[in-house]
Amino acid sequence: MSSSGWAREALAVLAKDVRSEYRTRYAFSSVLLFAVTALAVVSFSVSPYSLDADVQAAFLWIVLFFSAMMGLSRSFVREEEARTAMALRLTTAPEAVYMGKLMFNIALQVAVAAVVVPLFLVLMDIAPAHPGLLVGVTLLGTLALASSSTIIAAIVSRANAKGAIFAVLAFPVTLPGLSSAIRATIAALRGAAGSGSGPAAGAAGDLRALAAYSVLMITSSLLLFDFVWDD
Amino acid sequence: MLGPAERHGGFELTIDSVSKLYGARRVLRDVAARAVAGQVLVIAGPNGSGKSTLVKVIARLIRPTDGRVLWKLDGRALPATDAKRVVGMVSPDLTLYDELSAIENLRFFAQVRGLSSGPELAYSLLDRFGLAGRGRDPVGAYSSGMKQRLKYAFALMHDPPLLLLDEPTANLDERGITLVHDAIAQARPSKCIVIATNEPEEVRLGDVIIRLGA
């Protein structure tokens, strides 16, 4: 199939998922509720203390990671549970399904991060040293989380104990991306760590690692998705 | 889409010694049959005999443990990736999106199938299957019979050469059953039709009959 054919199909899958999500709030509500609740509980419990940037960054990515674990698996699990996957298999190229779901998961996770990160800064009373870097890290980290979670969600959707397996499988796969995101977030909150000049110099390696990780995950997922999606 | 010249006439379905095991349980054993455009292949057998599994194997949605299914158009073997053009399917295991309207469902599947005449086609198909006026309602609000009718619109919208009907009249009222029988009669001269059923009236439609679990 031509690349324009794939792109058209992938955009149709994305539009369908966005419309479904808008009607049901299936993933967004549960993810946002978890993220806001976790942020509120921790900020109230640690409010008397001044946390180090290392702890703050780790905490932010723990919330974003588990938000992704809650929400991003739904895109595939729901197709299997609602028995709509067969119609999708009959009509849509596997690569287009993957790309459509990936774009939806990126959009969902960016929307969650757009609420969670500002709320995190307010509740934890943090003024980031480099706000631009924090935005960049959040976007790249979100891309890394979505790219790894999407293929794992496709694998998990064919299993029985979907929820439990997802987090267990996702953790080791997302760990390299997650650790880079945490280190770059520390640099954004505290100031440039490491050598070089300019705010992003210390985090540049981690940002490159995040971008490389995402490209690797998306490329390998496109190659493997056919085997995961078909019987 | 297949071009008009290559549609239907030369389509050929071959089921070549197909067996299917789920773990240690054998569902299908050495099933073989051949049907061409203009013929109806009926799969009959008691509940649990593997009718639905065989339909999915024919659709190439699941792989047989042994044997193979071949689709040929004018003597040329078609790959499984051509399913979106080749197969139209109605099955109890196939569900459309409850949260979308019938029109939205059909437009989505028209888009991913690369059909250019999305909205007009959707309205005409809904009209044909007695769902005119309900096209904008969410499918979740449909009765089971209306959902079954919508599946026919989904299955026939791209004019496929291979029509797979698993329990074709399930959940349908008398009017719905007549519509389905009319659709089968209309499609019969130009398509290869596979029907998995236990209804004697539908079994009689078969030019080729596979009896499972016999």
Side-chain angles (χ1 to χ4, degrees), chain B:
Chain B
M1 279 293 283
L2 301 171
E6 56 179 343
R7 271 185 199 156
H8 313 150
F11 187 81
E12 180 185 332
L13 166 70
T14 305
I15 304 165
D16 184 9
S17 303
V18 164
S19 297
K20 180 68 183 176
L21 281 93
Y22 284 117
R25 192 167 66 87
R26 183 178 287 276
V27 181
L28 300 171
R29 181 190 294 274
D30 207 22
V31 178
R34 181 178 170 274
V36 297
Q39 287 188 315
V40 175
L41 169 70
V42 167
I43 305 166
N47 294 341
S49 58
K51 297 190 296 296
S52 296
T53 301
L54 183 55
V55 170
K56 286 176 202 162
V57 170
I58 292 170
R60 294 164 86 166
L61 284 168
I62 56 177
R63 292 190 182 94
T65 310
D66 287 309
R68 61 182 179 161
V69 167
L70 279 175
W71 301 330
K72 281 187 182 174
L73 193 65
D74 297 327
R76 185 172 55 89
L78 301 173
T81 49
D82 277 358
K84 69 160 71 179
R85 297 169 187 85
V86 171
V87 177
M89 187 166 175
V90 174
S91 164
D93 294 331
L94 186 152
T95 305
L96 303 184
Y97 294 95
D98 274 353
E99 62 277 15
L100 303 183
S101 70
I103 293 291
E104 286 168 341
N105 266 287
L106 295 179
R107 286 179 70 174
F108 166 64
F109 288 112
Q111 278 180 319
V112 292
R113 278 171 165 153
L115 304 178
S116 53
S117 52
E120 304 78 20
L121 184 67
Y123 281 110
S124 72
L125 283 164
L126 291 179
D127 189 34
R128 180 179 171 190
F129 287 99
L131 294 171
R134 299 296 302 271
R136 296 199 178 278
D137 294 353
V139 172
Y142 278 21
S143 70
S144 52
M146 291 168 73
K147 286 180 182 176
Q148 181 76 349
R149 290 178 185 216
L150 182 60
K151 288 180 193 178
Y152 278 90
F154 162 78
L156 290 166
M157 67 190 305
H158 56 306
D159 193 16
L162 176 61
L163 188 57
L164 305 177
L165 308 177
D166 186 3
E167 298 183 27
T169 51
N171 302 315
L172 290 174
D173 56 16
E174 211 168 299
R175 170 80 183 125
I177 291 170
T178 305
L179 280 171
V180 166
H181 288 170
D182 289 348
I184 292 172
Q186 197 177 333
R188 185 170 187 150
S190 60
K191 298 183 195 306
C192 178
I193 303 175
V194 176
I195 303 176
T197 183
N198 280 320
E199 296 292 329
E201 191 183 347
E202 288 157 9
V203 174
R204 279 196 292 275
L205 293 171
D207 300 294
V208 181
I209 299 177
I210 299 173
R211 292 193 188 275
L212 298 176

Side-chain angles (χ1 to χ4, degrees), chain A residues 130-189:
Chain A
H130 305 295
L133 178 58
L134 183 62
V135 170
V137 175
T138 304
L139 288 175
L140 277 175
T142 295
L143 177 65
L145 270 181
S147 61
S148 55
S149 302
T150 302
I151 188 67
I152 296 166
I155 295 168
V156 165
S157 69
R158 312 299 296 271
N160 289 329
K162 297 175 175 65
I165 292 173
F166 187 62
V168 171
L169 271 180
F171 181 66
V173 177
T174 52
L175 197 55
L178 215 48
S179 57
S180 294
I182 291 171
R183 278 195 302 271
T185 304
I186 293 168
L189 296 180

Side-chain angles (χ1 to χ4, degrees), chain A residues 9 18 20 27-28 36 43 55 66 69 80 92 107 117 122 157 177 222:
Chain A
E9 286 185 39
V18 168
S20 291
F28 190 71
V36 171
S43 70
V55 180
F66 281 105
M69 293 307 97
E80 296 291 345
T92 314
V117 174
V122 170
S157 69
L222 275 171

